Amino acid sequence: MKPVVQLDRTGCGIASVAALSGVSYRQARLVANRLGISAGDSRLWSETHHVRRLLKEYGNRSASTQVLFTSWEALPDLALLAVKWHKERDCSFWHWVVFWRGHCGPVVLDSKRALRRHVHTDFGRMKVKWFIPVSQI
């Protein structure tokens, strides 16, 4: 699995689904637009149903509820993580990243464009609030 860099400010969910699905950001954004999901919509940071719909469109299964993060060891082999979780005017916001327990060990794929590296193993620095287990069909 390879990281996909987001091209839009609120495109981390789209980029995460693209990475999970093995497609480019532009391809995933086109599919998202067809589903009525806009990369410029700030709800991509504060709601889960857009990402779940896009995952389903690409044949991925996601759990119907979020799971509170307890430890890195307790994560499933594949998950969307909510990191950088915070509140603004009584609304929750976060950044989506992909957790993958691959053949070379666990990694986090972060789509943020400004990063020099998009594959991370420095788990102690990441603050995860909750996650959505994902399975590929």
Side-chain angles (χ1 to χ4, degrees):
M1 188 173 309
K2 295 179 181 178
V4 172
V5 176
Q6 66 191 73
L7 302 179
D8 301 291
R9 184 171 171 257
T10 59
C12 56
I14 292 171
S16 294
V17 172
L20 287 165
S21 305
V23 300
S24 72
Y25 181 83
R26 284 184 172 85
Q27 284 177 284
R29 185 172 55 188
L30 284 172
V31 172
N33 287 339
R34 186 172 46 78
L35 295 172
I37 301 167
S38 169
D41 189 342
S42 64
R43 289 179 297 175
L44 285 171
W45 284 348
S46 62
E47 297 176 5
T48 64
H49 69 275
H50 295 304
V51 170
R52 291 177 197 278
R53 282 184 56 218
L54 193 54
L55 281 167
K56 186 176 179 181
E57 186 71 15
Y58 276 104
N60 297 294
R61 287 192 188 131
S62 63
S64 58
T65 59
Q66 295 83 257
V67 180
L68 192 61
F69 178 84
T70 57
S71 72
W72 292 99
E73 295 76 26
L75 286 172
D77 290 343
L78 197 56
L80 283 176
L81 308 180
V83 300
K84 299 179 185 173
W85 189 93
H86 64 283
K87 282 219 176 228
E88 290 179 21
R89 289 172 276 178
D90 291 330
C91 189
S92 300
F93 291 91
W94 57 84
H95 175 63
W96 290 111
V97 297
V98 175
F99 175 80
W100 176 47
R101 202 178 309 278
H103 60 278
C104 293
V107 295
V108 167
L109 306 177
D110 190 334
S111 64
K112 186 175 180 179
R113 190 178 205 173
L115 296 174
R116 282 186 296 210
R117 290 186 14 235
H118 299 282
V119 179
H120 299 281
T121 56
D122 54 343
F123 304 127
R125 296 182 53 168
M126 293 178 226
K127 305 293 185 232
V128 183
K129 180 76 170 178
W130 47 262
F131 64 93
I132 300 173
V134 176
S135 59
Q136 296 174 314
I137 299 173

